[in-house]
Amino acid sequence: MHEMALCEGVLQALEEQAKILNFARVHAVWLAIGALASVEPEALRFNFDVVTQGTLAEGSRLEIVTVLAQAWCLPCGEKVSIRQYFDACPQCGSHPLQVIAGEELRIQQLEVE
Ligand SMILES: [Zn+2]
């Protein structure tokens, strides 16, 4: 399960941050997720609740922030935003584009105590 593994990674990152920044409880987590990461938000929420049970993030709120993917268009010679793989360039309509970002998943913001 893709989402389960992601949540375990997030929890691990939270525990590391808690040691460094010295906080004991996490109230809310904002996750920035690339449009190409193929993450199902509902599955992510469900797994997050399961994985964080009995941890410093138990009962915390999960906010999912979708980040548009970036691709390089050769004819335009610039970076453009796309929503999915194989999207054409929104400016000139050419494809395929070279995807350069959009699969990331990172913690954008935390509300802690
Ligand atoms: Zn283009």
Side-chain angles (χ1 to χ4, degrees), residues 73 75-76 80 89 91-94 97:
C73 177
C76 290
V80 294
C89 172
Q91 295 185 49
C92 73
S94 78
L97 303 175

Side-chain angles (χ1 to χ4, degrees), residues 69-73 78-82 87 97-101:
Q70 297 278 314
W72 179 258
C73 177
E78 57 184 285
K79 270 196 287 188
V80 294
S81 294
I82 56 168
D87 265 4
L97 303 175
Q98 195 183 342
V99 175
I100 49 180

Side-chain angles (χ1 to χ4, degrees), residues 30-39 41 44 63-71 79-85 87 99-109:
W30 281 259
L31 274 187
I33 298 176
L36 307 179
S38 50
V39 171
L44 194 63
E63 299 282 350
I64 297 169
V65 184
T66 304
V67 183
L68 278 178
Q70 297 278 314
K79 270 196 287 188
V80 294
S81 294
I82 56 168
R83 288 179 188 282
Q84 52 196 356
Y85 284 113
D87 265 4
V99 175
I100 49 180
E103 293 174 313
E104 72 269 44
L105 183 140
R106 65 189 161 79
I107 298 169
Q108 190 177 58
Q109 201 184 325

